Amino acid sequence: MAKYKLWVVAAATVLLLAGCTSLQSNLSSSSSIKSTKKLQTTGKVTDSMYEGVIDNNQYKTSQTRGLTTQQSNTAFDVKSLESGLLNISKKQFPTDKYLYQEGQTIKTAEAQKWLARQSKDNTLGLNPEDNGEKEPDKRNPLYLQQILEQDFLGADGALEGMSIGLGMNQVDYYAKEQYGATFETKISSAMMAQQGKQMANKVLTRLRQKKGLSKTTIVVGLYKQAPKDSLVGGTFFAYGVSKNGSTTIDSWHKMNQANQVFPLVNDEKAVNQSDADAFTSFKGQVQTFFPNLSGVTAQAHYEDGVLAGMNITVNTQFYSETEIMSFTQYIATAADKYLPQNIPLDISISSAEGVQAYVGRAAGSKGFSTHVFGSY
Amino acid sequence: MAKYKLWVVAAATVLLLAGCTSLQSNLSSSSSIKSTKKLQTTGKVTDSMYEGVIDNNQYKTSQTRGLTTQQSNTAFDVKSLESGLLNISKKQFPTDKYLYQEGQTIKTAEAQKWLARQSKDNTLGLNPEDNGEKEPDKRNPLYLQQILEQDFLGADGALEGMSIGLGMNQVDYYAKEQYGATFETKISSAMMAQQGKQMANKVLTRLRQKKGLSKTTIVVGLYKQAPKDSLVGGTFFAYGVSKNGSTTIDSWHKMNQANQVFPLVNDEKAVNQSDADAFTSFKGQVQTFFPNLSGVTAQAHYEDGVLAGMNITVNTQFYSETEIMSFTQYIATAADKYLPQNIPLDISISSAEGVQAYVGRAAGSKGFSTHVFGSY
């Protein structure tokens, strides 16, 4: 028998984005929200996560999530918009004071109208009307690609806060004719920001007219969609808070985020060369270890130019229980040795049969936690 | 900021089978084996796992793993044989004194001969010769289905121990003609045990003649293969230890293991009805929570009639980051409330896109650890 002692320091903002391994000694005592007993909640495993609200034994799924214009979102963009908006929300609506609910106010049909172009039939469209042009720089692009609502409730279940994420295109992909080749209209950062801020005010004006929302605090986050072929999601570039019934965001907070995929390809410039080099060393070490290892890739996330976390995927043809056990231990050793210290790491080891094992390091922790998926 | 304190008590034998979440504060100091520095190892994340040996920067994969007779093994049987044999080995070769190596002594071609039938061309076959009969109770069935070797090395890298697992059929599936219908020869427990013990002695005799193995301690485990359509692996029913060059196992230790899949189907009798009822409550609670939840199943493992662990798989159509977060917390709450206490639990939450989250409770722990697989 051996004993380990571990302190898990929950660093709320970073932990969530990285996916979190959390520990607690007693589920029932962990909720710090004094909920009136009529309200049913999910329970809570860590202070950095919101407790979710359950209605009549059922979880209410989102009305707006995953909605999009004609052009579809990558799964990365859908997830990044969600988790990024949740992180912004935590600054305004602390997880120990608010419960979480998937967006219920903006209905699906309504959101679809907002996402579509302005037209005689759709006066609610936030995207500009079709001017009939087909050339990339003459046509009116779709600026808004996704809209997402997240709700924050008080202990009595009343809606006390809301966050709205607007996913803005940096490139609008379009076809000149149905099933035709794909063309691109590029949108400048300045234009993207200007359009996003205008739309934010329009959305606020509409929300303020809804029942119960006249005074609710509403956070709006502006998100830059990743390019279509990206292997990582986009990033938030600004957010603002509307209080006391205001129909405009008067002060925008700039956000400096960047995502990068390792290994770098096509002479792409590293956000930070030493991080890219560290990953290359790790990848090389891991790939010599096992024959037939098919791939090691990473998503790196930067906040204000500093590495804030990495998600690494290792694909292997192996799936023996003992091989995966040895490999998992080796990966933890190599990660500790080669990868940057003091950032959350999330490493999944997959075979054709799916995820076989996981190696993680939480924010603020030096130790690694591992899990090998077993079978009896 | 919140702080949790956790004691992870590594209960070696149970933890491994369940797949283990383990934690440690410092990788480099965790190895308790004073290895001569020339030997390269995987590093170690928990005392309940073996440290693996690396040869010339590469991991040596098994020569015997996954080998089988004509009839193929289920993936469950391959994994169960491996992890079960490793658990038996830990009694004889403690993880803090031995390093692990995938079986290297019995070569692939040799094992294939051992697994085949006796014949003029194959005098090494451990399975009986074909007597020409086609009827289930007149033919000679294949008794041996799998053979697996695991090696245990001392700190200097010398082979000091070996474990051999023999996977014995309780049913031999065969066809009377090529591509024909499948017939079954049932094998009694008594016959299975008798054949397994005879084969163990033959294998020992052959191994003792190999270079360096004349005095090595060799453990032999006898494993009962699961039926072909089983959703859980088989179980070990006996093991013995050969020391000082003995070519027979003189004393067999009986093992009383059972695996069961929940929910029970076709009026199957529960090993323990209250465990089956607990699972039914858990499943019901979880399925009302989320609409469109497609399935909740479990593998339960029993040692001497007592529940020793459960692996639960929850399949959902949902894959929203925030939905998965809420669901993960809810599952931990429901598991704590409805499932048996004091056993290791391993719950994976999967969508069509693969594993989305994991909820686990280690042996001897009251708290749950969770991980939501994130993406930037």
Side-chain angles (χ1 to χ4, degrees):
Chain A
M1 291 283 192
K3 285 180 178 173
Y4 294 108
K5 191 176 177 182
L6 177 93
W7 293 90
V8 176
V9 182
T13 47
V14 192
L15 206 61
L16 179 70
L17 259 181
C20 47
T21 300
S22 52
L23 304 136
Q24 54 124 195
S25 50
N26 194 325
L27 275 162
S28 54
S29 74
S30 68
S31 174
S32 45
I33 304 176
K34 293 280 170 284
S35 157
T36 56
K37 274 300 159 196
K38 276 177 195 160
L39 211 62
Q40 217 187 336
T41 65
T42 57
K44 197 172 186 177
V45 291
T46 161
D47 276 4
S48 68
M49 283 168 91
Y50 285 105
E51 195 163 357
V53 174
I54 308 171
D55 185 38
N56 214 357
N57 281 324
Q58 284 222 341
Y59 192 71
K60 285 194 282 191
T61 56
S62 176
Q63 293 274 334
T64 51
R65 178 195 172 271
L67 288 182
T68 180
T69 60
Q70 297 106 309
Q71 167 199 332
S72 65
N73 290 296
T74 66
F76 297 119
D77 265 332
V78 175
K79 285 203 170 192
S80 293
L81 178 67
E82 280 191 290
S83 56
L85 187 63
L86 204 61
N87 279 346
I88 293 172
S89 303
K90 286 176 183 174
K91 296 173 195 168
Q92 198 63 44
F93 313 117
T95 57
D96 61 347
K97 295 204 172 58
Y98 293 85
L99 301 167
Y100 177 77
Q101 177 180 271
E102 307 285 337
Q104 300 295 327
T105 300
I106 309 173
K107 301 300 176 193
T108 306
E110 193 174 18
Q112 281 166 333
K113 285 181 187 162
W114 294 12
L115 281 169
R117 285 187 183 278
Q118 270 276 2
S119 68
K120 275 179 198 162
D121 297 336
N122 181 33
T123 53
L124 291 173
L126 291 171
N127 276 309
E129 63 179 3
D130 188 343
N131 62 3
E133 297 286 346
K134 297 287 185 192
E135 290 311 303
D137 51 353
K138 289 187 177 165
R139 65 190 279 275
N140 285 336
L142 295 176
Y143 294 107
L144 179 66
Q145 177 68 25
Q146 287 190 86
I147 186 164
L148 180 71
E149 174 195 339
Q150 294 179 338
D151 296 346
F152 301 91
L153 315 185
D156 58 352
L159 184 67
E160 293 188 0
M162 184 182 284
S163 291
I164 301 291
L166 300 177
M168 309 301 296
N169 282 325
Q170 52 178 322
V171 180
D172 177 31
Y173 301 91
Y174 70 103
K176 293 185 182 178
E177 52 196 321
Q178 212 179 0
Y179 311 121
T182 300
F183 293 83
E184 303 182 357
T185 298
K186 294 207 165 63
I187 299 165
S188 70
S189 295
M191 188 53 147
M192 187 173 62
Q194 183 196 316
Q195 288 283 338
K197 289 172 186 177
Q198 283 175 9
M199 290 179 189
N201 291 346
K202 282 185 191 167
V203 167
L204 280 174
T205 305
R206 293 176 190 180
L207 289 175
R208 291 301 177 198
Q209 291 162 4
K210 287 182 186 279
K211 202 182 160 192
L213 284 185
S214 62
K215 296 288 178 193
T216 309
T217 298
I218 301 177
V219 172
V220 182
L222 301 181
Y223 173 88
K224 180 169 77 170
Q225 300 271 131
K228 205 178 180 178
D229 55 356
S230 176
L231 294 173
V232 66
T235 50
F236 277 85
F237 60 91
Y239 79 93
V241 183
S242 158
K243 292 188 177 178
N244 305 319
S246 162
T247 55
T248 55
I249 302 282
D250 300 320
S251 155
W252 287 95
H253 304 268
K254 208 181 161 194
M255 297 180 78
N256 178 18
Q257 298 186 334
N259 287 339
Q260 190 160 48
V261 174
F262 294 141
L264 299 174
V265 287
N266 300 334
D267 301 322
E268 189 188 350
K269 198 180 173 305
V271 175
N272 180 323
Q273 189 59 45
S274 77
D275 296 336
D277 292 345
F279 175 78
T280 303
S281 303
F282 171 76
K283 181 180 189 312
Q285 188 69 18
V286 166
Q287 285 186 327
T288 55
F289 177 71
F290 258 99
N292 303 332
L293 196 72
S294 42
V296 182
T297 57
Q299 296 179 328
H301 180 68
Y302 290 88
E303 298 269 358
D304 296 321
V306 177
L307 187 64
M310 280 175 100
N311 285 346
I312 298 177
T313 305
V314 179
N315 283 299
T316 165
Q317 291 180 16
F318 289 86
Y319 53 109
S320 150
E321 191 94 355
T322 51
E323 284 167 3
I324 294 291
M325 283 175 196
S326 289
F327 195 32
T328 301
Q329 298 193 90
Y330 186 72
I331 293 227
T333 307
D336 190 52
K337 187 170 172 189
Y338 293 103
L339 295 178
Q341 303 292 321
N342 303 319
I343 55 151
L345 287 176
D346 191 347
I347 308 175
S348 39
I349 299 159
S350 296
S351 76
E353 291 181 342
V355 175
Q356 299 294 318
Y358 150 77
V359 174
R361 185 177 64 194
S365 168
K366 283 193 182 297
F368 284 81
S369 63
T370 67
H371 181 73
V372 176
F373 287 90
S375 173
Y376 289 112
Chain B
M1 292 282 191
K3 284 178 182 176
Y4 293 108
K5 191 176 178 180
L6 178 94
W7 292 91
V8 176
V9 181
T13 48
V14 192
L15 203 64
L16 179 69
L17 257 183
C20 48
T21 300
S22 50
L23 303 136
Q24 54 125 195
S25 50
N26 194 327
L27 275 162
S28 52
S29 73
S30 68
S31 175
S32 44
I33 304 175
K34 294 281 170 282
S35 157
T36 55
K37 274 299 161 198
K38 276 176 195 159
L39 209 63
Q40 219 186 336
T41 66
T42 57
K44 198 171 188 178
V45 291
T46 162
D47 275 3
S48 69
M49 283 169 91
Y50 286 105
E51 194 162 358
V53 174
I54 309 171
D55 185 39
N56 212 359
N57 281 323
Q58 283 221 341
Y59 191 71
K60 284 195 282 192
T61 57
S62 175
Q63 292 276 333
T64 50
R65 178 193 172 272
L67 289 182
T68 182
T69 60
Q70 297 106 306
Q71 168 197 333
S72 65
N73 290 296
T74 67
F76 297 119
D77 265 333
V78 175
K79 285 202 171 193
S80 293
L81 179 67
E82 282 190 290
S83 56
L85 187 62
L86 203 62
N87 278 345
I88 294 171
S89 304
K90 286 176 184 174
K91 297 173 193 165
Q92 199 62 44
F93 313 117
T95 57
D96 59 349
K97 295 204 171 57
Y98 293 86
L99 301 167
Y100 177 78
Q101 178 181 269
E102 306 286 338
Q104 300 295 326
T105 300
I106 308 174
K107 301 300 176 194
T108 306
E110 194 174 17
Q112 280 165 335
K113 285 181 187 161
W114 295 11
L115 282 170
R117 285 187 183 279
Q118 271 276 4
S119 70
K120 277 183 197 159
D121 296 339
N122 183 33
T123 52
L124 291 173
L126 292 171
N127 277 309
E129 63 180 2
D130 188 344
N131 62 3
E133 296 287 345
K134 298 286 186 194
E135 290 312 303
D137 51 354
K138 291 189 175 162
R139 64 189 281 273
N140 285 336
L142 295 175
Y143 294 106
L144 178 66
Q145 177 68 24
Q146 287 191 85
I147 186 165
L148 179 72
E149 173 197 342
Q150 294 179 338
D151 297 345
F152 302 91
L153 314 186
D156 58 353
L159 184 67
E160 292 187 2
M162 184 183 284
S163 290
I164 301 290
L166 299 178
M168 309 301 297
N169 282 326
Q170 53 177 322
V171 181
D172 177 31
Y173 301 91
Y174 70 104
K176 294 186 183 179
E177 51 195 321
Q178 212 178 2
Y179 310 123
T182 300
F183 294 83
E184 304 182 357
T185 298
K186 294 207 165 63
I187 299 165
S188 70
S189 295
M191 188 52 147
M192 187 172 64
Q194 184 197 316
Q195 288 283 339
K197 288 170 186 178
Q198 283 175 7
M199 288 180 191
N201 291 346
K202 283 186 192 166
V203 167
L204 280 173
T205 307
R206 292 176 190 181
L207 289 176
R208 291 301 178 200
Q209 291 162 4
K210 288 183 184 280
K211 202 180 160 193
L213 283 185
S214 61
K215 297 289 178 194
T216 310
T217 298
I218 301 178
V219 173
V220 182
L222 301 181
Y223 173 88
K224 179 168 77 169
Q225 300 271 131
K228 206 178 179 181
D229 55 356
S230 175
L231 294 174
V232 67
T235 49
F236 278 85
F237 60 91
Y239 79 93
V241 183
S242 159
K243 292 189 178 178
N244 306 318
S246 162
T247 55
T248 55
I249 302 282
D250 300 319
S251 155
W252 286 96
H253 304 268
K254 208 181 159 194
M255 297 180 78
N256 178 16
Q257 298 186 334
N259 288 337
Q260 191 159 49
V261 174
F262 294 140
L264 298 174
V265 287
N266 301 333
D267 301 320
E268 189 187 353
K269 196 178 173 306
V271 175
N272 180 323
Q273 189 60 45
S274 78
D275 296 337
D277 292 345
F279 175 79
T280 303
S281 302
F282 171 76
K283 182 179 191 306
Q285 188 68 18
V286 166
Q287 286 186 324
T288 55
F289 178 70
F290 258 99
N292 302 331
L293 196 70
S294 41
V296 182
T297 58
Q299 296 179 329
H301 179 70
Y302 290 88
E303 300 270 357
D304 296 321
V306 178
L307 188 64
M310 281 177 100
N311 285 346
I312 298 177
T313 305
V314 179
N315 284 299
T316 166
Q317 292 180 18
F318 289 86
Y319 52 108
S320 149
E321 190 95 356
T322 51
E323 283 166 4
I324 294 291
M325 283 175 195
S326 288
F327 195 32
T328 301
Q329 298 192 90
Y330 185 72
I331 292 228
T333 306
D336 189 52
K337 187 169 174 188
Y338 294 103
L339 295 178
Q341 303 292 320
N342 303 319
I343 55 151
L345 287 176
D346 192 347
I347 308 174
S348 39
I349 299 158
S350 296
S351 75
E353 292 181 342
V355 176
Q356 299 294 317
Y358 150 78
V359 174
R361 184 177 64 196
S365 168
K366 282 193 180 300
F368 284 81
S369 64
T370 67
H371 181 74
V372 176
F373 287 90
S375 172
Y376 289 113

